Amino acid sequence: MKLGYARVSTGEQNMRLQIDALRAAGAERIFEDHGVSGSTVFKPAYTEMLKLARAGDEIIVWRLDRLSRSLVTLITELQLLGELKVGFRSLSEDLETVTPAGRLFFHMVGAFAQFERDVIQERTNAGLLAARNAGTKLGRPPVMDDARWKQVKELIEGPAAMKVSAVAKLVGVTRQAIYKRLDAEKKAAEVA
């Protein structure tokens, strides 16, 4: 089945040109999003169309920017369509994924997307390494600072020893946080 998708970002814009082009291209059913920006992640009619699309179907748009204004989002959408085994065609740019040349284009898009993910991962790892080398502590901050931990230990181990659950409620932390710190102290004592 050939499914058409048309979108305008403001109520004043007219979809007639898009719809006429989609019908001329053989779209059997056309989904329309009115007043939805191209940068919006959730497009109701587009989402409905994806739910209806089956392997072997083809989604047709008038121009690529009707699907997305962001290259990253466009690549992601094309990859999703590829995973669903749904063809894609953009009329104005004369791009499609239903012929061998079109599939080659699709694979190139996928390669660029993978390259982008790899570069982002590389940058993230380099940033984490630089932060570690600068002495920055990574991860969540501890639930209890040393002063609070001293109070907790006095309440648990003192002359009027309290249960861990009662101390946790009193101090405003979880029981797991107290047990985790106790285990860490125990392991540190064993190593020393």
Side-chain angles (χ1 to χ4, degrees):
M1 179 186 277
K2 292 186 179 188
L3 306 170
Y5 176 68
R7 181 191 58 77
V8 290
S9 49
T10 65
E12 297 86 45
Q13 292 177 317
N14 190 332
M15 263 193 218
R16 186 89 258 137
L17 176 65
Q18 292 181 57
I19 292 171
D20 290 345
L22 294 171
R23 283 198 178 117
E28 300 163 47
R29 186 161 175 200
I30 298 174
F31 295 81
E32 303 172 22
D33 271 322
H34 296 270
V36 177
S37 169
S39 61
T40 303
V41 176
F42 179 69
K43 300 174 182 83
Y46 181 72
T47 302
E48 181 185 341
M49 179 181 61
L50 285 182
K51 288 178 185 174
L52 179 71
R54 300 291 173 247
D57 287 352
E58 180 181 25
I59 291 177
I60 306 168
V61 296
W62 176 58
R63 288 177 34 159
L64 283 174
D65 68 354
R66 298 300 87 197
L67 190 58
S68 173
R69 291 201 179 266
S70 157
L71 179 61
V72 174
T73 306
L74 181 63
I75 289 171
T76 303
E77 288 299 328
L78 290 176
Q79 284 182 317
L80 172 64
L81 295 177
E83 290 168 13
L84 295 172
K85 297 187 181 350
V86 172
F88 174 78
R89 186 167 20 143
S90 175
L91 302 174
S92 296
E93 291 86 2
D94 198 27
L95 297 173
E96 47 76 26
T97 62
V98 292
T99 65
R103 282 190 295 279
L104 172 63
F105 167 75
F106 180 76
H107 289 296
M108 289 171 50
V109 167
F112 283 118
Q114 183 61 49
F115 173 73
E116 181 180 14
R117 283 191 296 273
D118 292 346
V119 168
I120 289 169
Q121 183 65 47
E122 218 171 72
R123 281 191 211 130
T124 301
N125 290 339
L128 290 171
L129 181 62
R132 279 190 202 103
N133 290 341
T136 304
K137 276 192 159 187
L138 301 174
R140 289 180 76 173
V143 175
M144 290 181 280
D145 58 10
D146 291 336
R148 185 184 268 184
W149 177 243
K150 185 177 177 187
Q151 290 175 334
V152 168
K153 281 196 71 169
E154 287 173 6
L155 291 171
I156 293 173
E157 298 172 351
M162 297 172 65
K163 291 184 175 182
V164 171
S165 58
V167 173
K169 281 183 184 177
L170 182 67
V171 179
V173 297
T174 64
R175 291 175 307 151
Q176 291 83 355
I178 294 173
Y179 286 124
K180 185 175 181 179
R181 186 81 183 247
L182 285 170
D183 286 344
E185 274 194 2
K186 183 179 175 183
K187 289 177 183 174
E190 290 172 359
V191 171

